Amino acid sequence: MIYLILSVLASSLIFIIFKLFSKYNIDTLQGIIINYIVASISGLIAYTEPIDIITVTKQGWFYGAMVLGVIFISVFNLMAITTQRNGLSAAAVATKMSLAIPIIFGIIVYKESTGILKITGILIALVAVYLTSIKTGEGVSIIKKTLIFPLLVFIGSGIIDTSLKFFETHHVSKNDVPIFSATIFGFAAIIGILTLLYKRITGTLKISLKNIIGGIGLGVPNYFSIYFLIKALRYENMDSSTVFTINNVAVLLVSTIAGILFFKEKLTLKNWIGIVLAILSIVLVALSI
């Protein structure tokens, strides 16, 4: 349970740092790319075994980590496009509602436990995610021509969580969690660096110190959010569907509270109802363990 709590705290810290990005006008793309570099380095430092590139490439999870790295940075860019074309709420809902994918995967593929309390908690969690994600004066904008973007964010985010569970179960040993995470972030960083090089060649790149500092600040909690999530998925007394439900809803809950306390965000009645339902869903799912 401690790993799940730490994952929630690390993921919530990411939210706070993203808010600071906006406050200090930090270039999000540059910050994200630097973040992936730092997250990868964090994993390499945390790995206690000697690093042998040949051995790493022969691991059963290596090519999967490579694909995940590409998906990581692709989903980020899709989230940016979704925010621009469909609104912030559409991006937030698509990202958080994606928890349905690993939940369904866990129940069907791994025959994870179901019960009235758990199913009720999961359904309430999905409603809570929607209500809490709707910002003041917004609804979720459904534009047919751009519907593909939130749909891809939904699918991509769900694939990431589902893949983490799959590799954790079948390929990643206990000692390999740091190097597995580092590899994912490393490939995301490679794609990001290539993007920066392209911008440099085309003359549209302006790197500043604050973007680098922002990326470094984001990279460490980003690494630990994945590291602790994988550790939480290894907890034998808790199904992955339970872990993903509590993790996603708790992150949304803590992030919302942080927004109120530190950034003076104002919530609508729907948001408050969502918060209450989020707490209720966590209690119900936790009681089903």
Side-chain angles (χ1 to χ4, degrees), residues 80-93:
I81 295 172
T82 301
T83 300
Q84 293 167 1
R85 302 191 182 188
N86 296 78
L88 181 61
S89 292
V93 171

Side-chain angles (χ1 to χ4, degrees), residues 185-234:
F185 289 122
F187 278 107
I190 290 172
I191 300 299
I193 291 171
L194 292 175
T195 302
L196 290 182
L197 288 175
Y198 172 77
K199 284 181 169 289
R200 180 66 177 177
I201 293 172
T202 56
T204 58
L205 177 64
K206 293 182 180 179
I207 297 177
S208 66
L209 180 61
K210 67 178 181 180
N211 296 333
I212 296 175
I213 294 174
I216 293 173
L218 181 64
V220 176
N222 196 11
Y223 164 74
F224 281 109
S225 69
I226 297 298
Y227 174 81
F228 288 133
L229 177 59
I230 294 175
K231 286 287 190 179
L233 288 169
R234 289 183 176 276

Side-chain angles (χ1 to χ4, degrees), residues 42-52 56 175-179 223:
S42 298
L44 295 176
I45 293 174
Y47 188 54
T48 57
E49 302 294 329
I51 298 175
D52 184 342
V56 170
N175 294 333
D176 282 349
V177 173
I179 193 68
Y223 164 74

Side-chain angles (χ1 to χ4, degrees), residues 121 125 245-246 249-250 253 277-287:
T245 301
I246 294 177
V249 177
L253 185 61
L277 290 178
I279 295 172
L280 178 60
S281 69
I282 290 175
V283 171
L284 290 176
V285 173
L287 289 175

